[in-house]
Amino acid sequence: MSKNIKSLAILALAVTMITACSKSNQTPVVPQLQQDNSKQVLAYIQHLGFPASSIQENKNEYIVEEDILFPKNMKVPVDDGKPKTEQYYTGASTLLTLANSMNIRLKVDPSMNSMMAEINSAINQWNTVPATSIHWTIVTGTSYDVYIQNANLGSGICGQGTFPSGGAAGGLIRINIAQIAGNSFAQRQRTITHEMGHCISFRHTNWAAIGEPFAAAVPGVGGTDASSIMNGGQCGSGATVLSTKDKQATSALYP
C-alpha cells in the first residue's frame, strides 16, 4: 500500500488469487509445468484488465497495485472468456465459502511478534462486524489458512495481501515493519486490517481515483467512501476503523 495518493470511490470486490499456505506434502511441480502455469497466471492478470506496465514480477509471484499478490503456482480460476470492459465485478465465485469464512485461521510468524497487539486489534475489527459470517482466529499449529510475516518490501510499500482462491482466504500477508514502525498504533493496525481485507476479496475502495482498472460495486452498497479502511495509498494517514460502508459491504458479501 503506497503513500501519497488521494482516495475516493466505491468499495469493491476483486478476483481470487492464491492457494493456502497451510498445505503440505504437495506433488513437486516439474519446471516446464511451473513455467506454463506462470504464463497462464500472467495472461489471466492481463485478461482482468491490468496493463502490462502495472505488473511487477519476481521469482515466485506477480504483484499488481503494489500490495496484491498473484503466486505463479496459483490455480487459475475458470473464466467465461468475456472481457471485463463494462462491469467492475468478477463474480460471486471469488468469495470464500461459508465454512471457510466462519473460521479463517491466521498464523503469525515470529517476525511479527512485536505487533501482536495490532494484529489482535485488526482481528477484532473484522470479527465485530454485525450480521456477517467473517471470523478470524489466531492459531499456532501447522494447519492454517493465512500466514502473516514481516518482509522488506522497499520504501513506500507498507504491506501486501493476496486474494482468495477456490473458496479459501488468500494465504499470505506481508507487513513491512520497517516502513510502518514510525506510524501510530492505530495506523499500524490499519495496515494489517487493510491487508486482511484483500485476503477476503476486497479491492481498493478508491480504485478508480488512483487509476486502478476494473472492480465491482458490492451489491446494495454504492456511493463514495472517503472513510473506507480499504482505500489504497493511505498508509500512515488513512481511516483506522472499518467505515459504515465497509461493514455493510462485509455483511452483504458474507451474510
Side-chain angles (χ1 to χ4, degrees), residues 26-46:
Q26 295 176 335
T27 303
V29 180
V30 298
Q32 183 59 48
L33 292 178
Q34 191 170 26
Q35 184 180 40
D36 291 345
N37 196 76
S38 175
K39 292 179 180 178
Q40 292 179 30
V41 173
L42 180 59
Y44 182 67
I45 296 170
Q46 293 174 320

Side-chain angles (χ1 to χ4, degrees), residues 66-78:
E66 294 189 332
D67 75 330
I68 301 173
L69 307 176
F70 291 70
K72 291 181 177 179
N73 65 351
M74 65 171 277
K75 182 178 180 181
V76 178
V78 176

Side-chain angles (χ1 to χ4, degrees), residues 81-184:
K82 298 177 181 179
K84 304 299 187 294
T85 56
E86 298 181 356
Q87 54 185 338
Y88 301 133
Y89 179 42
T90 56
S93 62
T94 65
L95 296 174
L96 279 64
T97 64
L98 176 60
N100 287 336
S101 70
M102 293 174 65
N103 184 26
I104 307 170
R105 300 166 299 173
L106 178 69
K107 182 165 183 177
V108 181
D109 186 84
S111 63
M112 289 295 296
N113 283 347
S114 65
M115 291 202 172
M116 284 304 303
E118 289 90 337
I119 292 171
N120 282 314
S121 180
I123 287 175
N124 184 64
Q125 288 217 52
W126 288 110
N127 286 358
T128 56
V129 175
T132 180
S133 63
I134 290 294
H135 187 82
W136 292 76
T137 57
I138 292 179
V139 296
T140 57
T142 58
S143 296
Y144 54 89
D145 303 302
V146 184
Y147 193 80
I148 185 170
Q149 63 183 184
N150 176 41
N152 181 2
L153 304 176
S155 178
I157 301 178
C158 297
Q160 294 174 336
T162 55
F163 284 116
S165 178
L172 179 64
I173 294 173
R174 293 178 181 142
I175 301 298
N176 191 354
I177 290 181
Q179 181 69 39
I180 69 172
N183 294 347
S184 67

